[in-house]
PDB file of all heavy atoms in Angstrom:
ATOM      1  N   ALA A   1       0.809  -1.206   0.026  1.00 38.00           N
ATOM      2  CA  ALA A   1       0.006   0.003  -0.016  1.00 38.00           C
ATOM      3  C   ALA A   1       0.845   1.241   0.018  1.00 38.00           C
ATOM      4  O   ALA A   1       1.800   1.292   0.768  1.00 38.00           O
ATOM      5  CB  ALA A   1      -0.882   0.006   1.187  1.00 38.00           C
ATOM      6  N   PRO A   2       0.518   2.227  -0.885  1.00 41.00           N
ATOM      7  CA  PRO A   2       1.305   3.497  -0.744  1.00 41.00           C
ATOM      8  C   PRO A   2       1.098   4.254   0.502  1.00 41.00           C
ATOM      9  O   PRO A   2      -0.072   4.138   1.057  1.00 41.00           O
ATOM     10  CB  PRO A   2       0.650   4.253  -2.012  1.00 41.00           C
ATOM     11  CG  PRO A   2      -0.687   3.673  -2.228  1.00 41.00           C
ATOM     12  CD  PRO A   2      -0.518   2.263  -1.898  1.00 41.00           C
ATOM     13  N   GLU A   3       2.076   4.829   1.028  1.00 40.00           N
ATOM     14  CA  GLU A   3       2.019   5.434   2.364  1.00 40.00           C
ATOM     15  C   GLU A   3       0.830   6.382   2.627  1.00 40.00           C
ATOM     16  O   GLU A   3       0.296   6.244   3.636  1.00 40.00           O
ATOM     17  CB  GLU A   3       3.325   6.151   2.627  1.00 40.00           C
ATOM     18  CG  GLU A   3       3.504   6.756   3.967  1.00 40.00           C
ATOM     19  CD  GLU A   3       4.734   7.540   4.087  1.00 40.00           C
ATOM     20  OE1 GLU A   3       5.618   7.503   3.249  1.00 40.00           O
ATOM     21  OE2 GLU A   3       4.880   8.325   5.054  1.00 40.00           O
ATOM     22  N   PRO A   4       0.557   7.303   1.659  1.00 41.00           N
ATOM     23  CA  PRO A   4      -0.532   8.197   1.847  1.00 41.00           C
ATOM     24  C   PRO A   4      -1.895   7.557   2.216  1.00 41.00           C
ATOM     25  O   PRO A   4      -2.747   8.140   2.759  1.00 41.00           O
ATOM     26  CB  PRO A   4      -0.571   9.056   0.628  1.00 41.00           C
ATOM     27  CG  PRO A   4       0.664   8.852   0.028  1.00 41.00           C
ATOM     28  CD  PRO A   4       1.211   7.464   0.370  1.00 41.00           C
ATOM     29  N   SER A   5      -2.144   6.301   1.614  1.00 36.00           N
ATOM     30  CA  SER A   5      -3.433   5.745   1.810  1.00 36.00           C
ATOM     31  C   SER A   5      -3.875   5.554   3.186  1.00 36.00           C
ATOM     32  O   SER A   5      -5.073   5.454   3.497  1.00 36.00           O
ATOM     33  CB  SER A   5      -3.441   4.341   1.043  1.00 36.00           C
ATOM     34  OG  SER A   5      -2.672   3.393   1.713  1.00 36.00           O
ATOM     35  N   ALA A   6      -2.925   5.423   4.081  1.00 32.00           N
ATOM     36  CA  ALA A   6      -3.212   5.221   5.515  1.00 32.00           C
ATOM     37  C   ALA A   6      -3.650   6.557   6.185  1.00 32.00           C
ATOM     38  O   ALA A   6      -4.354   6.515   7.193  1.00 32.00           O
ATOM     39  CB  ALA A   6      -2.006   4.702   6.231  1.00 32.00           C
ATOM     40  N   ALA A   7      -3.199   7.664   5.598  1.00 35.00           N
ATOM     41  CA  ALA A   7      -3.520   8.871   6.237  1.00 35.00           C
ATOM     42  C   ALA A   7      -4.538   9.730   5.555  1.00 35.00           C
ATOM     43  O   ALA A   7      -5.086  10.694   6.166  1.00 35.00           O
ATOM     44  CB  ALA A   7      -2.177   9.751   6.321  1.00 35.00           C
ATOM     45  N   ILE A   8      -4.885   9.463   4.288  1.00 35.00           N
ATOM     46  CA  ILE A   8      -5.706  10.324   3.524  1.00 35.00           C
ATOM     47  C   ILE A   8      -6.911   9.515   3.098  1.00 35.00           C
ATOM     48  O   ILE A   8      -6.726   8.500   2.421  1.00 35.00           O
ATOM     49  CB  ILE A   8      -4.992  10.972   2.343  1.00 35.00           C
ATOM     50  CG1 ILE A   8      -3.839  11.767   2.715  1.00 35.00           C
ATOM     51  CG2 ILE A   8      -5.985  11.771   1.389  1.00 35.00           C
ATOM     52  CD1 ILE A   8      -3.053  12.354   1.563  1.00 35.00           C
ATOM     53  N   SER A   9      -8.049   9.938   3.372  1.00 35.00           N
ATOM     54  CA  SER A   9      -9.298   9.232   2.951  1.00 35.00           C
ATOM     55  C   SER A   9      -9.470   9.493   1.505  1.00 35.00           C
ATOM     56  O   SER A   9      -9.404  10.632   1.067  1.00 35.00           O
ATOM     57  CB  SER A   9     -10.501   9.693   3.756  1.00 35.00           C
ATOM     58  OG  SER A   9     -11.723   9.253   3.153  1.00 35.00           O
ATOM     59  N   THR A  10      -9.713   8.421   0.745  1.00 36.00           N
ATOM     60  CA  THR A  10      -9.929   8.636  -0.717  1.00 36.00           C
ATOM     61  C   THR A  10     -11.409   8.421  -1.107  1.00 36.00           C
ATOM     62  O   THR A  10     -11.752   8.513  -2.213  1.00 36.00           O
ATOM     63  CB  THR A  10      -9.177   7.562  -1.525  1.00 36.00           C
ATOM     64  OG1 THR A  10      -9.364   6.300  -1.066  1.00 36.00           O
ATOM     65  CG2 THR A  10      -7.599   7.838  -1.462  1.00 36.00           C
ATOM     66  N   ALA A  11     -12.233   8.264  -0.077  1.00 37.00           N
ATOM     67  CA  ALA A  11     -13.681   8.014  -0.457  1.00 37.00           C
ATOM     68  C   ALA A  11     -14.418   9.433  -0.494  1.00 37.00           C
ATOM     69  O   ALA A  11     -14.106  10.324   0.297  1.00 37.00           O
ATOM     70  CB  ALA A  11     -14.323   7.219   0.770  1.00 37.00           C
ATOM     71  N   PRO A  12     -15.261   9.610  -1.504  1.00 38.00           N
ATOM     72  CA  PRO A  12     -16.009  10.823  -1.658  1.00 38.00           C
ATOM     73  C   PRO A  12     -16.981  10.990  -0.531  1.00 38.00           C
ATOM     74  O   PRO A  12     -17.428   9.983   0.107  1.00 38.00           O
ATOM     75  CB  PRO A  12     -16.753  10.671  -2.898  1.00 38.00           C
ATOM     76  CG  PRO A  12     -16.868   9.218  -3.202  1.00 38.00           C
ATOM     77  CD  PRO A  12     -15.588   8.679  -2.563  1.00 38.00           C
ATOM     78  N   THR A  13     -17.199  12.186  -0.068  1.00 35.00           N
ATOM     79  CA  THR A  13     -18.006  12.441   1.129  1.00 35.00           C
ATOM     80  C   THR A  13     -19.514  12.426   0.752  1.00 35.00           C
ATOM     81  O   THR A  13     -20.270  12.123   1.714  1.00 35.00           O
ATOM     82  CB  THR A  13     -17.587  13.755   1.750  1.00 35.00           C
ATOM     83  OG1 THR A  13     -17.747  14.837   0.749  1.00 35.00           O
ATOM     84  CG2 THR A  13     -16.192  13.748   2.305  1.00 35.00           C
ATOM     85  N   GLU A  14     -19.784  12.851  -0.388  1.00 40.00           N
ATOM     86  CA  GLU A  14     -21.168  12.790  -0.808  1.00 40.00           C
ATOM     87  C   GLU A  14     -21.313  12.698  -2.236  1.00 40.00           C
ATOM     88  O   GLU A  14     -20.553  13.227  -3.015  1.00 40.00           O
ATOM     89  CB  GLU A  14     -21.838  14.199  -0.358  1.00 40.00           C
ATOM     90  CG  GLU A  14     -23.333  14.263  -0.663  1.00 40.00           C
ATOM     91  CD  GLU A  14     -23.844  15.583  -0.091  1.00 40.00           C
ATOM     92  OE1 GLU A  14     -23.125  16.373   0.464  1.00 40.00           O
ATOM     93  OE2 GLU A  14     -25.063  15.902  -0.417  1.00 40.00           O
ATOM     94  N   HIS A  15     -22.365  12.008  -2.779  1.00 36.00           N
ATOM     95  CA  HIS A  15     -22.616  11.889  -4.214  1.00 36.00           C
ATOM     96  C   HIS A  15     -24.003  12.400  -4.440  1.00 36.00           C
ATOM     97  O   HIS A  15     -24.974  12.218  -3.721  1.00 36.00           O
ATOM     98  CB  HIS A  15     -22.644  10.389  -4.576  1.00 36.00           C
ATOM     99  CG  HIS A  15     -21.368   9.669  -4.492  1.00 36.00           C
ATOM    100  ND1 HIS A  15     -20.261   9.963  -5.195  1.00 36.00           N
ATOM    101  CD2 HIS A  15     -20.933   8.731  -3.570  1.00 36.00           C
ATOM    102  CE1 HIS A  15     -19.171   9.272  -4.774  1.00 36.00           C
ATOM    103  NE2 HIS A  15     -19.667   8.468  -3.835  1.00 36.00           N
ATOM    104  N   PRO A  16     -24.166  13.242  -5.515  1.00 37.00           N
ATOM    105  CA  PRO A  16     -25.464  13.750  -5.855  1.00 37.00           C
ATOM    106  C   PRO A  16     -26.367  12.694  -6.277  1.00 37.00           C
ATOM    107  O   PRO A  16     -25.998  11.651  -6.857  1.00 37.00           O
ATOM    108  CB  PRO A  16     -25.154  14.700  -7.039  1.00 37.00           C
ATOM    109  CG  PRO A  16     -23.864  14.125  -7.637  1.00 37.00           C
ATOM    110  CD  PRO A  16     -23.088  13.604  -6.415  1.00 37.00           C
ATOM    111  N   ALA A  17     -27.655  12.879  -6.079  1.00 33.00           N
ATOM    112  CA  ALA A  17     -28.709  12.016  -6.491  1.00 33.00           C
ATOM    113  C   ALA A  17     -28.739  12.024  -8.059  1.00 33.00           C
ATOM    114  O   ALA A  17     -28.385  12.960  -8.610  1.00 33.00           O
ATOM    115  CB  ALA A  17     -30.081  12.326  -5.939  1.00 33.00           C
ATOM    116  N   THR A  18     -29.154  10.893  -8.694  1.00 32.00           N
ATOM    117  CA  THR A  18     -29.301  10.881 -10.138  1.00 32.00           C
ATOM    118  C   THR A  18     -30.635  10.251 -10.512  1.00 32.00           C
ATOM    119  O   THR A  18     -31.085   9.330  -9.789  1.00 32.00           O
ATOM    120  CB  THR A  18     -28.089  10.029 -10.714  1.00 32.00           C
ATOM    121  OG1 THR A  18     -28.358   9.968 -12.118  1.00 32.00           O
ATOM    122  CG2 THR A  18     -28.027   8.696 -10.186  1.00 32.00           C
ATOM    123  N   ALA A  19     -31.194  10.743 -11.538  1.00 27.00           N
ATOM    124  CA  ALA A  19     -32.554  10.255 -11.871  1.00 27.00           C
ATOM    125  C   ALA A  19     -32.397   8.809 -12.450  1.00 27.00           C
ATOM    126  O   ALA A  19     -33.386   8.033 -12.315  1.00 27.00           O
ATOM    127  CB  ALA A  19     -33.281  11.166 -12.995  1.00 27.00           C
ATOM    128  N   ASP A  20     -31.289   8.469 -13.022  1.00 35.00           N
ATOM    129  CA  ASP A  20     -31.092   7.180 -13.479  1.00 35.00           C
ATOM    130  C   ASP A  20     -29.854   6.638 -12.863  1.00 35.00           C
ATOM    131  O   ASP A  20     -28.762   6.548 -13.396  1.00 35.00           O
ATOM    132  CB  ASP A  20     -30.973   7.154 -15.051  1.00 35.00           C
ATOM    133  CG  ASP A  20     -30.810   5.816 -15.628  1.00 35.00           C
ATOM    134  OD1 ASP A  20     -31.072   4.815 -14.933  1.00 35.00           O
ATOM    135  OD2 ASP A  20     -30.343   5.766 -16.832  1.00 35.00           O
ATOM    136  N   ALA A  21     -30.004   6.025 -11.687  1.00 37.00           N
ATOM    137  CA  ALA A  21     -28.853   5.699 -10.879  1.00 37.00           C
ATOM    138  C   ALA A  21     -28.042   4.509 -11.538  1.00 37.00           C
ATOM    139  O   ALA A  21     -26.788   4.491 -11.373  1.00 37.00           O
ATOM    140  CB  ALA A  21     -29.254   5.272  -9.489  1.00 37.00           C
ATOM    141  N   VAL A  22     -28.718   3.618 -12.123  1.00 46.00           N
ATOM    142  CA  VAL A  22     -28.022   2.480 -12.837  1.00 46.00           C
ATOM    143  C   VAL A  22     -27.534   3.032 -14.235  1.00 46.00           C
ATOM    144  O   VAL A  22     -28.385   3.308 -15.112  1.00 46.00           O
ATOM    145  CB  VAL A  22     -28.937   1.253 -13.017  1.00 46.00           C
ATOM    146  CG1 VAL A  22     -28.146   0.182 -13.668  1.00 46.00           C
ATOM    147  CG2 VAL A  22     -29.312   0.768 -11.601  1.00 46.00           C
ATOM    148  N   LEU A  23     -26.205   3.197 -14.399  1.00 69.00           N
ATOM    149  CA  LEU A  23     -25.723   3.912 -15.510  1.00 69.00           C
ATOM    150  C   LEU A  23     -25.818   3.147 -16.807  1.00 69.00           C
ATOM    151  O   LEU A  23     -25.530   1.911 -16.717  1.00 69.00           O
ATOM    152  CB  LEU A  23     -24.316   4.298 -15.317  1.00 69.00           C
ATOM    153  CG  LEU A  23     -24.001   5.051 -14.034  1.00 69.00           C
ATOM    154  CD1 LEU A  23     -22.493   5.302 -13.840  1.00 69.00           C
ATOM    155  CD2 LEU A  23     -24.660   6.373 -14.075  1.00 69.00           C
ATOM    156  N   PRO A  24     -26.162   3.679 -17.956  1.00 67.00           N
ATOM    157  CA  PRO A  24     -25.942   3.027 -19.284  1.00 67.00           C
ATOM    158  C   PRO A  24     -24.522   2.658 -19.384  1.00 67.00           C
ATOM    159  O   PRO A  24     -23.678   3.401 -19.134  1.00 67.00           O
ATOM    160  CB  PRO A  24     -26.452   4.079 -20.226  1.00 67.00           C
ATOM    161  CG  PRO A  24     -27.306   5.053 -19.454  1.00 67.00           C
ATOM    162  CD  PRO A  24     -26.621   5.090 -18.102  1.00 67.00           C
ATOM    163  N   GLY A  25     -24.430   1.372 -19.898  1.00 81.00           N
ATOM    164  CA  GLY A  25     -22.976   0.985 -20.168  1.00 81.00           C
ATOM    165  C   GLY A  25     -22.289   0.295 -18.960  1.00 81.00           C
ATOM    166  O   GLY A  25     -21.212  -0.034 -18.959  1.00 81.00           O
ATOM    167  N   VAL A  26     -23.074   0.255 -17.831  1.00 93.00           N
ATOM    168  CA  VAL A  26     -22.540  -0.398 -16.577  1.00 93.00           C
ATOM    169  C   VAL A  26     -23.443  -1.590 -16.211  1.00 93.00           C
ATOM    170  O   VAL A  26     -24.610  -1.333 -16.011  1.00 93.00           O
ATOM    171  CB  VAL A  26     -22.400   0.561 -15.412  1.00 93.00           C
ATOM    172  CG1 VAL A  26     -21.955  -0.088 -14.150  1.00 93.00           C
ATOM    173  CG2 VAL A  26     -21.562   1.715 -15.772  1.00 93.00           C
ATOM    174  N   ILE A  27     -22.909  -2.740 -16.199  1.00 94.00           N
ATOM    175  CA  ILE A  27     -23.717  -3.911 -15.905  1.00 94.00           C
ATOM    176  C   ILE A  27     -23.507  -4.423 -14.527  1.00 94.00           C
ATOM    177  O   ILE A  27     -22.383  -4.480 -14.000  1.00 94.00           O
ATOM    178  CB  ILE A  27     -23.250  -5.098 -16.903  1.00 94.00           C
ATOM    179  CG1 ILE A  27     -23.701  -4.754 -18.326  1.00 94.00           C
ATOM    180  CG2 ILE A  27     -23.920  -6.405 -16.519  1.00 94.00           C
ATOM    181  CD1 ILE A  27     -23.278  -5.718 -19.301  1.00 94.00           C
ATOM    182  N   GLY A  28     -24.578  -4.777 -13.806  1.00 95.00           N
ATOM    183  CA  GLY A  28     -24.502  -5.464 -12.512  1.00 95.00           C
ATOM    184  C   GLY A  28     -24.310  -4.486 -11.352  1.00 95.00           C
ATOM    185  O   GLY A  28     -24.182  -5.013 -10.187  1.00 95.00           O
ATOM    186  N   ALA A  29     -24.401  -3.209 -11.478  1.00 95.00           N
ATOM    187  CA  ALA A  29     -24.178  -2.284 -10.351  1.00 95.00           C
ATOM    188  C   ALA A  29     -25.510  -2.035  -9.625  1.00 95.00           C
ATOM    189  O   ALA A  29     -26.556  -1.780 -10.302  1.00 95.00           O
ATOM    190  CB  ALA A  29     -23.610  -0.995 -10.880  1.00 95.00           C
ATOM    191  N   SER A  30     -25.435  -1.841  -8.320  1.00 95.00           N
ATOM    192  CA  SER A  30     -26.565  -1.467  -7.544  1.00 95.00           C
ATOM    193  C   SER A  30     -26.658   0.082  -7.718  1.00 95.00           C
ATOM    194  O   SER A  30     -25.708   0.794  -8.218  1.00 95.00           O
ATOM    195  CB  SER A  30     -26.429  -1.743  -6.067  1.00 95.00           C
ATOM    196  OG  SER A  30     -25.262  -1.103  -5.543  1.00 95.00           O
ATOM    197  N   ASP A  31     -27.767   0.759  -7.245  1.00 94.00           N
ATOM    198  CA  ASP A  31     -27.778   2.178  -7.309  1.00 94.00           C
ATOM    199  C   ASP A  31     -26.701   2.867  -6.655  1.00 94.00           C
ATOM    200  O   ASP A  31     -26.026   3.776  -7.090  1.00 94.00           O
ATOM    201  CB  ASP A  31     -29.044   2.588  -6.621  1.00 94.00           C
ATOM    202  CG  ASP A  31     -30.356   2.282  -7.411  1.00 94.00           C
ATOM    203  OD1 ASP A  31     -30.192   1.627  -8.589  1.00 94.00           O
ATOM    204  OD2 ASP A  31     -31.462   2.688  -7.087  1.00 94.00           O
ATOM    205  N   ASP A  32     -26.251   2.383  -5.428  1.00 96.00           N
ATOM    206  CA  ASP A  32     -25.069   2.954  -4.701  1.00 96.00           C
ATOM    207  C   ASP A  32     -23.902   2.770  -5.512  1.00 96.00           C
ATOM    208  O   ASP A  32     -22.995   3.709  -5.460  1.00 96.00           O
ATOM    209  CB  ASP A  32     -25.142   2.429  -3.282  1.00 96.00           C
ATOM    210  CG  ASP A  32     -26.194   2.828  -2.355  1.00 96.00           C
ATOM    211  OD1 ASP A  32     -26.858   3.790  -2.648  1.00 96.00           O
ATOM    212  OD2 ASP A  32     -26.374   2.198  -1.345  1.00 96.00           O
ATOM    213  N   GLN A  33     -23.637   1.585  -5.987  1.00 96.00           N
ATOM    214  CA  GLN A  33     -22.316   1.437  -6.679  1.00 96.00           C
ATOM    215  C   GLN A  33     -22.295   2.224  -7.982  1.00 96.00           C
ATOM    216  O   GLN A  33     -21.312   2.719  -8.371  1.00 96.00           O
ATOM    217  CB  GLN A  33     -22.308  -0.158  -7.141  1.00 96.00           C
ATOM    218  CG  GLN A  33     -22.089  -1.035  -5.916  1.00 96.00           C
ATOM    219  CD  GLN A  33     -22.178  -2.505  -6.255  1.00 96.00           C
ATOM    220  OE1 GLN A  33     -22.926  -2.841  -7.228  1.00 96.00           O
ATOM    221  NE2 GLN A  33     -21.419  -3.403  -5.630  1.00 96.00           N
ATOM    222  N   ALA A  34     -23.465   2.423  -8.691  1.00 95.00           N
ATOM    223  CA  ALA A  34     -23.609   3.247  -9.847  1.00 95.00           C
ATOM    224  C   ALA A  34     -23.123   4.678  -9.411  1.00 95.00           C
ATOM    225  O   ALA A  34     -22.551   5.407 -10.333  1.00 95.00           O
ATOM    226  CB  ALA A  34     -24.969   3.207 -10.483  1.00 95.00           C
ATOM    227  N   LEU A  35     -23.573   5.136  -8.427  1.00 95.00           N
ATOM    228  CA  LEU A  35     -23.241   6.592  -7.996  1.00 95.00           C
ATOM    229  C   LEU A  35     -21.761   6.680  -7.793  1.00 95.00           C
ATOM    230  O   LEU A  35     -21.194   7.698  -8.247  1.00 95.00           O
ATOM    231  CB  LEU A  35     -23.979   6.908  -6.738  1.00 95.00           C
ATOM    232  CG  LEU A  35     -25.453   7.230  -6.819  1.00 95.00           C
ATOM    233  CD1 LEU A  35     -26.080   7.345  -5.418  1.00 95.00           C
ATOM    234  CD2 LEU A  35     -25.766   8.420  -7.627  1.00 95.00           C
ATOM    235  N   ILE A  36     -21.082   5.659  -7.165  1.00 97.00           N
ATOM    236  CA  ILE A  36     -19.661   5.701  -7.032  1.00 97.00           C
ATOM    237  C   ILE A  36     -18.979   5.746  -8.497  1.00 97.00           C
ATOM    238  O   ILE A  36     -18.043   6.518  -8.675  1.00 97.00           O
ATOM    239  CB  ILE A  36     -19.070   4.520  -6.244  1.00 97.00           C
ATOM    240  CG1 ILE A  36     -19.655   4.688  -4.769  1.00 97.00           C
ATOM    241  CG2 ILE A  36     -17.611   4.471  -6.239  1.00 97.00           C
ATOM    242  CD1 ILE A  36     -19.462   3.553  -3.927  1.00 97.00           C
ATOM    243  N   ILE A  37     -19.320   4.894  -9.335  1.00 97.00           N
ATOM    244  CA  ILE A  37     -18.798   4.781 -10.659  1.00 97.00           C
ATOM    245  C   ILE A  37     -19.045   6.071 -11.358  1.00 97.00           C
ATOM    246  O   ILE A  37     -18.130   6.642 -12.049  1.00 97.00           O
ATOM    247  CB  ILE A  37     -19.393   3.645 -11.408  1.00 97.00           C
ATOM    248  CG1 ILE A  37     -18.962   2.293 -10.809  1.00 97.00           C
ATOM    249  CG2 ILE A  37     -18.909   3.616 -12.867  1.00 97.00           C
ATOM    250  CD1 ILE A  37     -19.721   1.105 -11.252  1.00 97.00           C
ATOM    251  N   GLU A  38     -20.222   6.607 -11.315  1.00 96.00           N
ATOM    252  CA  GLU A  38     -20.583   7.963 -11.911  1.00 96.00           C
ATOM    253  C   GLU A  38     -19.646   9.082 -11.434  1.00 96.00           C
ATOM    254  O   GLU A  38     -19.074   9.851 -12.219  1.00 96.00           O
ATOM    255  CB  GLU A  38     -22.010   8.267 -11.800  1.00 96.00           C
ATOM    256  CG  GLU A  38     -22.396   9.653 -12.452  1.00 96.00           C
ATOM    257  CD  GLU A  38     -23.897   9.851 -12.246  1.00 96.00           C
ATOM    258  OE1 GLU A  38     -24.475   9.471 -11.248  1.00 96.00           O
ATOM    259  OE2 GLU A  38     -24.462  10.653 -13.125  1.00 96.00           O
ATOM    260  N   TRP A  39     -19.471   9.096 -10.152  1.00 97.00           N
ATOM    261  CA  TRP A  39     -18.598  10.079  -9.514  1.00 97.00           C
ATOM    262  C   TRP A  39     -17.164   9.982 -10.086  1.00 97.00           C
ATOM    263  O   TRP A  39     -16.541  11.073 -10.465  1.00 97.00           O
ATOM    264  CB  TRP A  39     -18.632  10.043  -7.981  1.00 97.00           C
ATOM    265  CG  TRP A  39     -17.732  11.125  -7.421  1.00 97.00           C
ATOM    266  CD1 TRP A  39     -18.077  12.401  -7.033  1.00 97.00           C
ATOM    267  CD2 TRP A  39     -16.283  11.005  -7.190  1.00 97.00           C
ATOM    268  NE1 TRP A  39     -16.958  13.081  -6.633  1.00 97.00           N
ATOM    269  CE2 TRP A  39     -15.923  12.350  -6.625  1.00 97.00           C
ATOM    270  CE3 TRP A  39     -15.439   9.920  -7.290  1.00 97.00           C
ATOM    271  CZ2 TRP A  39     -14.604  12.521  -6.246  1.00 97.00           C
ATOM    272  CZ3 TRP A  39     -14.048  10.195  -6.840  1.00 97.00           C
ATOM    273  CH2 TRP A  39     -13.686  11.500  -6.323  1.00 97.00           C
ATOM    274  N   ALA A  40     -16.644   8.814 -10.194  1.00 98.00           N
ATOM    275  CA  ALA A  40     -15.294   8.580 -10.619  1.00 98.00           C
ATOM    276  C   ALA A  40     -15.131   8.957 -12.095  1.00 98.00           C
ATOM    277  O   ALA A  40     -14.162   9.615 -12.449  1.00 98.00           O
ATOM    278  CB  ALA A  40     -14.925   7.121 -10.479  1.00 98.00           C
ATOM    279  N   LEU A  41     -16.159   8.616 -12.973  1.00 97.00           N
ATOM    280  CA  LEU A  41     -16.001   9.030 -14.338  1.00 97.00           C
ATOM    281  C   LEU A  41     -16.081  10.606 -14.416  1.00 97.00           C
ATOM    282  O   LEU A  41     -15.329  11.150 -15.109  1.00 97.00           O
ATOM    283  CB  LEU A  41     -17.293   8.456 -15.129  1.00 97.00           C
ATOM    284  CG  LEU A  41     -17.094   6.936 -15.366  1.00 97.00           C
ATOM    285  CD1 LEU A  41     -18.569   6.429 -15.776  1.00 97.00           C
ATOM    286  CD2 LEU A  41     -16.197   6.475 -16.282  1.00 97.00           C
ATOM    287  N   GLY A  42     -16.940  11.120 -13.675  1.00 97.00           N
ATOM    288  CA  GLY A  42     -16.944  12.616 -13.630  1.00 97.00           C
ATOM    289  C   GLY A  42     -15.700  13.275 -13.114  1.00 97.00           C
ATOM    290  O   GLY A  42     -15.273  14.300 -13.555  1.00 97.00           O
ATOM    291  N   ARG A  43     -15.111  12.625 -12.199  1.00 97.00           N
ATOM    292  CA  ARG A  43     -13.828  13.153 -11.626  1.00 97.00           C
ATOM    293  C   ARG A  43     -12.782  13.231 -12.736  1.00 97.00           C
ATOM    294  O   ARG A  43     -11.974  14.204 -12.794  1.00 97.00           O
ATOM    295  CB  ARG A  43     -13.313  12.223 -10.495  1.00 97.00           C
ATOM    296  CG  ARG A  43     -12.070  12.748  -9.766  1.00 97.00           C
ATOM    297  CD  ARG A  43     -12.349  14.069  -9.091  1.00 97.00           C
ATOM    298  NE  ARG A  43     -11.362  14.309  -8.021  1.00 97.00           N
ATOM    299  CZ  ARG A  43     -11.248  15.476  -7.475  1.00 97.00           C
ATOM    300  NH1 ARG A  43     -12.078  16.537  -7.825  1.00 97.00           N
ATOM    301  NH2 ARG A  43     -10.376  15.688  -6.447  1.00 97.00           N
ATOM    302  N   TYR A  44     -12.627  12.224 -13.579  1.00 97.00           N
ATOM    303  CA  TYR A  44     -11.656  12.258 -14.645  1.00 97.00           C
ATOM    304  C   TYR A  44     -12.051  13.362 -15.631  1.00 97.00           C
ATOM    305  O   TYR A  44     -11.131  14.040 -16.039  1.00 97.00           O
ATOM    306  CB  TYR A  44     -11.632  10.818 -15.375  1.00 97.00           C
ATOM    307  CG  TYR A  44     -10.719   9.859 -14.699  1.00 97.00           C
ATOM    308  CD1 TYR A  44     -11.132   9.128 -13.636  1.00 97.00           C
ATOM    309  CD2 TYR A  44      -9.445   9.644 -15.240  1.00 97.00           C
ATOM    310  CE1 TYR A  44     -10.216   8.170 -12.973  1.00 97.00           C
ATOM    311  CE2 TYR A  44      -8.576   8.704 -14.654  1.00 97.00           C
ATOM    312  CZ  TYR A  44      -8.974   8.089 -13.587  1.00 97.00           C
ATOM    313  OH  TYR A  44      -8.081   7.145 -12.934  1.00 97.00           O
TER     314      TYR A  44
END
């Protein structure tokens, strides 16, 4: 594990609600998982 991972939280604090939580192009994700994936795509 890289050293900073122990000291810096990498989890987002809040995800906005989405009208279509299960994303097009993403298979098998729950609503909560889809929000995490959507946030990560948006971050890039």
Side-chain angles (χ1 to χ4, degrees):
E3 180 183 352
S5 64
I8 299 178
S9 172
T10 54
T13 55
E14 182 178 356
H15 296 292
T18 177
D20 182 15
V22 179
L23 305 177
V26 177
I27 293 177
S30 67
D31 287 0
D32 289 343
Q33 290 171 332
L35 286 172
I36 293 172
I37 295 168
E38 181 179 26
W39 181 87
L41 291 167
R43 185 63 159 171
Y44 273 81

